[in-house]
Amino acid sequence: MNDNAVEAAIAAVRADVALLHGELVRYGLVVWTGGNVSGRVPGTDYFVIKPSGVAYDDLTPDNMILCTLDGEVVPGTPGSERSPSSDTAAHAYVYREMPEVGGVVHTHSSYAVAWAARGEEIPCVITGMADEFGGPIPVGPFAVIGDDSIGRGIVETLRGHRSRAVLMRNHGPFTIGVTAKDAVKAAVMCEDAARSVHLARQAGEVIPIPQEKIDALYARYQNVYGQQEDERR
Amino acid sequence: MNDNAVEAAIAAVRADVALLHGELVRYGLVVWTGGNVSGRVPGTDYFVIKPSGVAYDDLTPDNMILCTLDGEVVPGTPGSERSPSSDTAAHAYVYREMPEVGGVVHTHSSYAVAWAARGEEIPCVITGMADEFGGPIPVGPFAVIGDDSIGRGIVETLRGHRSRAVLMRNHGPFTIGVTAKDAVKAAVMCEDAARSVHLARQAGEVIPIPQEKIDALYARYQNVYGQQEDERR
Amino acid sequence: MNDNAVEAAIAAVRADVALLHGELVRYGLVVWTGGNVSGRVPGTDYFVIKPSGVAYDDLTPDNMILCTLDGEVVPGTPGSERSPSSDTAAHAYVYREMPEVGGVVHTHSSYAVAWAARGEEIPCVITGMADEFGGPIPVGPFAVIGDDSIGRGIVETLRGHRSRAVLMRNHGPFTIGVTAKDAVKAAVMCEDAARSVHLARQAGEVIPIPQEKIDALYARYQNVYGQQEDERR
Amino acid sequence: MNDNAVEAAIAAVRADVALLHGELVRYGLVVWTGGNVSGRVPGTDYFVIKPSGVAYDDLTPDNMILCTLDGEVVPGTPGSERSPSSDTAAHAYVYREMPEVGGVVHTHSSYAVAWAARGEEIPCVITGMADEFGGPIPVGPFAVIGDDSIGRGIVETLRGHRSRAVLMRNHGPFTIGVTAKDAVKAAVMCEDAARSVHLARQAGEVIPIPQEKIDALYARYQNVYGQQEDERR
C-alpha cells in the first residue's frame, strides 16, 4: 500500500470505530465511559481504538486513537494527545496473536457480567446462540490490567473455539470479529443470549439442544445468512 | 384485480411492512438484524417480507422483498437482488396453509424466548392475556431451518387455537394476524405477557383465572374492543 | 360557570389528558394502545378520557372523548364519533363515588401486574413508598369488564385508604389523584415501588419500616413536598 | 475571590448541576421529580441544588437554587422563590463535614434500593466495582427526613471509606464526588454494580475477588484512568 492508501484505510477505520460505539449505547451495553471498540486497519500494522474516559456523545473519527500492534499510540496523529482505552494492551495482544481478527469489543453489559461473576459459561439452549456462537459462550481466566494476562486469557479461550465471545471471569465480555462491526454484533448477541438464558433458568429447567442440531444451525448461519458483505464488512 | 390494482396493493403492503418493523425496535423485541415481519398482498398470491441481514434503520418500502406463496423471490421487483429473511419459508408455509392469515411476525424477544427454552406454555393468569389470546400461549415443536418443519410446527400449533402466538421450542415466538399490523400487535402483547407472568411467578404462586371468565373476556375483546378498522387493518 | 367557562375548562382538560398519556409511554407503563388516563372537568359533571384502540402517537386534545359521569359519550363533541376507552365505565364509577378524585389512570405495567397476578399487596419497605402511598399498595377484587364491578372494586379498596393505587387482582393497577397529573404520578410511582420491592425480595428478606416512621414520612410528604401547585394541579 | 469571580463560579455550577440531572434520566436512575444533584461552588460557602418537585424537562441553570452550607436558600438569587430539594439538609451536612466533597447525588434507582431494603451491602465481585469503589458498597443507617440524621448517616458511613456510594437503609443510594459530575458518575456506577451483582447472585454462587487484587485494581484506577481533567472536573 502506498501512503495515500494507508491514510484512506486509517480514515475509514476511524470513522467506522467512532460510529460503532453508538451501537453499544443503543443496546444498553455500556454506561458512562465504560466499554470500547477497536478495529484493525487492513493491510497495516495499526489498529484504531477509543480514547480513555471520553463520553460516548463526544466520540468522533478524529479523537479515536491510532496504535501500533504493540499497543503504542502513534505520535503526531489525530487524538494522540490523549490516552487510549485502558484496555488497549488486551486489544493489541489479540491483534498480534490472531491475524484473522479485524475487530475487538469490550463491555460490562449486565447479564454477561453476571455469568462472568459466577465463572459460568452460557449454555447453548436457544437456536439464536447456535446460529451465532455455535455452542456455549465460554469463560476465560481471572486476569487484571497491567500486563498481557487479559489478552492472553482471551486468545487462549477463543483460539480454535467457535464462539466470538468470552466472559472474562469476574470482569465481563470481550468479543472478536472479522471486522469491528462483526465484533460489535457479537457483543450485542452475547448480551442478548446472556439475558434470555438467565431468564429461562430463573423459572425452571431449560431443554438442551442436541449437539448435531447446534452444529447444523451454526454451519448454515456461517454460510448463508444475510447479505454477506453488509453483515460482516 | 387488474395490474394497476395489484401494483397498488403491493406498494401499500411494502410501505406497511417496512414501517411495522419499527414497532419491533420500539418495543425492544429485536436486536441487530434479527426478527422479521411479513404481510400478504390481499387478493394476490404474494407476500412481502424483510430482506435478510439488513439493519432496521435501513429498511424502506423499496428494499422489502416480494415473494410468491412458495417463498420464491419475484425476479425483477424492487429488492429482489437481495436475499429475503432466512425465515421466509416458514412465513410462506403459513400463508399457504392458513388463508385467513394476513401477517406473520418472528422475533427473539427475551422473555418469550425464556419460556421457549424451557418448552413451557405461558399460563393465562392475567386478564390482558385473556383478552388478547383467549388462554395460554402454546409451545410448538423443536424445528430447524432448512425445510418446512418450522412452518408446519406453527400451523399445527395455531390452527384452531385462539392464540395468535406460538413459542417455538428453544427458538422463540412466531405470531400471526389478520394483517401484518395485527401480527405485530400479537408479538408485542406476547412479550408483554411473557414478562408479566415470568415476574409474577418469580415471587410466588399465581392465582388462576376461571375458564369461563377467560372465555367471556376473550369473546368481548374480539367483538367490541377498539376502533375496529384502525386496530386490525 | 357560564358556557364559555365550561368550554375553556373542557379544552384545558382535553389538552392535559392528551399530553399526560405521553408520560405512560415515557415510563414504559404501557404497550401498543393499552392503558388510559382520564381527568374530571372541574366544576362540571363531565370527564375526558382516551379513545379506545388509538395509538399513543396519534392522541391529540381533539380526539380525547368527553363523557358524562354515567360514562356516556357527549354527542356532537370532538372525538365523539369514536368509542371511548373500554375502561370508561370504571372511571365513571370512580368519579361518581369519589368527588374528591380529579383523575384516574389504568395501566398493565409489568411489575404491578405481577403482584396483581399473585393477589399480593406490595409491602411498604422503602421510604419512597411511605412518602407517596403511606403504607402498602392494596389488592382489589377480581372483576371483569361489563358492569360496575371494576369501578366498585376500586372504590371499595381505596375509599379511606392512604394509597392512591390499587392492584386489581389478575388485572393490573388503577390509580387516582386530585388531578389527572396526580393520578399519572401515582401510576409511575406504583410501578417503581412494585419493581424495587420485587427486586428486593428476590434476593432475601426485606427489613420492615416501623409504622410510626411510615406515618411520619407520609404526613410530611403530603404537607411539605414540592412546589404544591406544580406538583398536583 | 472578588464578586465577579464568585458570580462566575456560581453560574458555572448552576449550568453544570442543571445539565447533570439529565444523566440521571438518561441512565434511568430517577422517575418523575425524584432524585437530586448538588454541586459545591468552589472557593465559597455555597452549593447549588435542584428545586423540589420540578420536572426534569424543566430544569435550567436559573431555577437551580443557591444555598449556604447550612442549607438555607440565599434570598434574592435566581430560583430562590422556590423550595430547594427536600434532601437539601442532607447535602448541606455532607458539604459541612467533608470539605473534600464537591458534589452529592441522591436517587431511588431500583437495584440499589433493592439492596437498601434488605440492608445488605453490595459485595465487590466484579472488577468494575473494584476499580470504581475499591470494595463493597456499604449500607448506612435507617434515617428519616427532618433533622441531620440522613446527612450524619452518610458521613459516618463514607468518611474514611473507599466507596463514594452509600445505600441508606430502606431508602436508597447517596453518592459523593470531588465534583458534581464525579458524584453523578458514582450514582451511575452504583446502580450498574447493584444490577450486575443482583443478577449474578440470582443464578448461583458468585466467586469472590481476592482482596489484594481489589486493592491493586482500585489503586490503578484512581491514578491512571481516563483523561483526568475531563473525568472528574
Side-chain angles (χ1 to χ4, degrees), chain C residues 22-186:
Chain C
E23 299 297 307
L24 304 188
V25 173
R26 181 202 294 241
Y27 289 109
L29 307 188
V30 291
V31 297
W32 208 255
T33 62
N36 39 72
V37 177
S38 71
R40 190 194 290 268
V41 183
T44 75
D45 288 333
Y46 298 127
F47 68 97
V48 166
I49 194 166
K50 172 168 162 284
S52 178
V54 174
Y56 277 87
D57 289 352
D58 297 334
L59 298 180
T60 66
D62 278 355
N63 60 21
M64 295 296 106
I65 298 181
L66 187 69
C67 296
T68 67
L69 294 189
D70 292 321
E72 300 298 324
V73 176
V74 180
T77 56
S80 61
E81 71 286 2
R82 290 176 175 268
S83 309
S85 164
S86 54
D87 296 302
T88 298
H91 290 243
Y93 189 94
V94 174
Y95 288 121
R96 288 200 304 278
E97 295 293 319
M98 302 180 86
E100 72 278 21
V101 168
V104 177
V105 173
H106 174 48
T107 80
H108 291 174
S109 62
S110 303
Y111 284 90
V113 166
W115 291 88
R118 294 189 308 272
E120 187 178 6
E121 71 173 22
I122 308 175
C124 182
V125 295
I126 51 183
T127 57
M129 275 187 76
D131 289 341
E132 192 69 37
F133 298 108
I137 295 176
V139 174
F142 181 76
V144 294
I145 275 182
D147 55 22
D148 277 343
S149 61
I150 293 179
R152 207 160 50 231
I154 298 167
V155 170
E156 285 171 5
T157 311
L158 294 185
R159 183 174 274 160
H161 201 291
R162 284 178 182 171
S163 175
R164 310 200 306 294
V166 52
L167 307 173
M168 294 299 284
R169 217 194 79 195
N170 293 103
H171 184 174
F174 281 82
T175 61
I176 58 175
V178 296
T179 59
K181 185 178 180 185
D182 187 39
V184 170
K185 184 188 179 193

Side-chain angles (χ1 to χ4, degrees), chain D residues 18-198:
Chain D
L19 202 63
L20 283 165
H21 281 93
E23 300 296 308
L24 305 188
V25 173
R26 181 202 294 241
Y27 290 109
L29 308 188
V30 291
V31 298
W32 209 252
T33 63
N36 39 72
V37 177
S38 72
R40 191 194 289 268
V41 183
T44 76
D45 289 334
Y46 298 128
F47 68 97
V48 166
I49 194 165
K50 174 169 162 281
S52 179
V54 174
Y56 278 85
D57 290 351
D58 297 334
L59 298 180
T60 66
D62 277 355
N63 59 22
M64 295 296 106
I65 298 181
L66 186 69
C67 295
T68 68
L69 295 189
D70 292 321
E72 299 298 323
V73 177
V74 180
T77 56
S80 61
E81 72 285 4
R82 289 177 177 268
S83 309
S85 163
S86 54
D87 296 301
T88 298
H91 291 243
Y93 189 94
V94 174
Y95 289 121
R96 288 200 304 278
E97 295 293 319
M98 302 181 89
E100 71 278 22
V101 167
V104 178
V105 173
H106 174 48
T107 80
H108 290 175
S109 62
S110 303
Y111 284 90
V113 166
W115 290 88
R118 294 189 308 271
E120 186 178 8
E121 71 172 22
I122 309 175
C124 182
V125 295
I126 51 182
T127 57
M129 276 187 76
D131 289 343
E132 192 69 36
F133 298 108
I137 295 175
V139 173
F142 181 76
V144 293
I145 275 181
D147 55 21
D148 277 342
S149 60
I150 292 179
R152 209 161 47 232
I154 298 167
V155 169
E156 286 171 5
T157 311
L158 294 185
R159 183 174 273 161
H161 202 292
R162 284 178 182 171
S163 175
R164 310 199 308 294
V166 52
L167 308 174
M168 293 299 284
R169 217 195 77 196
N170 295 101
H171 185 175
F174 280 83
T175 60
I176 58 175
V178 295
T179 59
K181 187 178 178 184
D182 187 40
V184 170
K185 184 188 180 192
V188 171
M189 302 313 279
C190 174
E191 179 67 2
D192 195 56
R195 173 173 154 94
S196 293
V197 181
H198 174 94

Side-chain angles (χ1 to χ4, degrees), chain A residues 70-153:
Chain A
D70 292 321
E72 299 298 324
V73 177
V74 180
T77 57
S80 61
E81 72 285 4
R82 289 177 178 267
S83 309
S85 164
S86 54
D87 295 302
T88 299
H91 290 242
Y93 189 94
V94 174
Y95 288 121
R96 288 200 304 279
E97 296 293 319
M98 302 181 87
E100 71 278 21
V101 167
V104 178
V105 172
H106 174 49
T107 80
H108 291 176
S109 62
S110 303
Y111 284 90
V113 166
W115 290 87
R118 294 190 309 271
E120 186 178 7
E121 70 173 24
I122 309 175
C124 182
V125 295
I126 52 183
T127 57
M129 276 188 76
D131 289 342
E132 192 69 37
F133 299 107
I137 294 176
V139 174
F142 181 75
V144 293
I145 275 182
D147 55 21
D148 277 343
S149 59
I150 292 179
R152 209 161 47 233

